[in-house]
Amino acid sequence: MVFRPTRRDIDPVTGEPMAYALWDRYEWQVHGECWLWCGRDDVEVTWIGPVRSSGLHAALFAWRACLYELDQRVLEANMRQDAAVSADA
């Protein structure tokens, strides 16, 4: 059985970011454009990797809220996959 704990980036008691908060793992640029859901411009962004679309490549950037949403979706997908593997075992 594979176990992945849920992420707790915000302390539920104080409401403050934990020392290991998701966004502390990245190098942030002060001004940039989020390429994910919000499409905001002139916000603090971080490079999250290369993207390929229609045979072209570009650098993919995201701001904190969209990066957090992406992280949660990846976590949920992995948890569903783990549950499916456990059910088959």
Side-chain angles (χ1 to χ4, degrees):
M1 176 180 201
V2 178
F3 175 72
R4 290 186 179 92
T6 58
R7 175 163 281 120
R8 302 281 187 209
D9 288 332
I10 303 296
D11 185 314
V13 175
T14 65
E16 295 296 317
M18 300 288 241
Y20 56 85
L22 168 68
W23 44 80
D24 291 340
R25 299 179 202 147
Y26 295 92
E27 292 182 27
W28 294 92
Q29 298 178 13
V30 178
H31 301 285
E33 178 184 0
C34 179
W35 281 40
L36 295 180
W37 297 277
C38 73
R40 293 177 64 173
D41 195 11
D42 199 27
V43 293
E44 189 176 41
V45 295
T46 191
W47 177 79
I48 60 172
V51 63
R52 186 175 75 185
S53 178
S54 302
L56 300 172
H57 298 260
L60 182 62
F61 290 87
W63 87 297
R64 292 172 193 252
C66 288
L67 178 58
Y68 187 81
E69 177 66 24
L70 177 64
D71 186 67
Q72 295 306 303
R73 289 181 184 201
V74 169
L75 178 64
E76 289 170 7
N78 278 272
M79 291 172 68
R80 282 193 303 273
Q81 183 179 5
D82 292 350
V85 169
S86 295
D88 292 340

